[in-house]
Amino acid sequence: LLLGQPLPQVPFLERVTRRLRLVCTTYDPRQNRYRFDYSIFIETFIGASILIGGGLFLIRGRRRQP
């Protein structure tokens, strides 16, 4: 897009992988380079688990009320 050229056709899985790498890359000033940050996956998993667990708790509570 920067050069005004069309994007190359890339398979779907590779395209998703590239986007994940871009989002999950952080800059490490001590090493003066970018690195892949796995903690983003852990934070996302914990957050989703809490939301799903809370939603299930609320749904079950609603069903038990007369």
Side-chain angles (χ1 to χ4, degrees):
L1 292 175
L2 292 175
L3 301 174
Q5 298 174 351
L7 294 174
Q9 294 299 322
V10 181
F12 176 75
L13 189 57
E14 185 176 344
R15 193 173 34 200
V16 170
T17 305
R18 285 182 182 182
R19 288 181 183 177
L20 278 175
R21 274 194 230 145
L22 178 64
V23 170
C24 298
T25 303
T26 58
Y27 180 70
D28 187 4
R30 287 182 285 164
Q31 296 180 355
N32 196 27
R33 67 183 186 100
Y34 288 91
R35 64 179 180 84
F36 193 74
D37 189 7
Y38 292 99
S39 68
I40 294 173
F41 290 113
I42 296 168
E43 293 169 1
T44 303
F45 176 74
I46 291 171
S49 299
I50 290 171
L51 287 175
I52 291 170
L56 291 174
F57 178 76
L58 291 174
I59 290 171
R60 284 186 172 180
R62 286 272 188 175
R63 287 184 181 175
R64 290 184 182 168
Q65 291 181 351

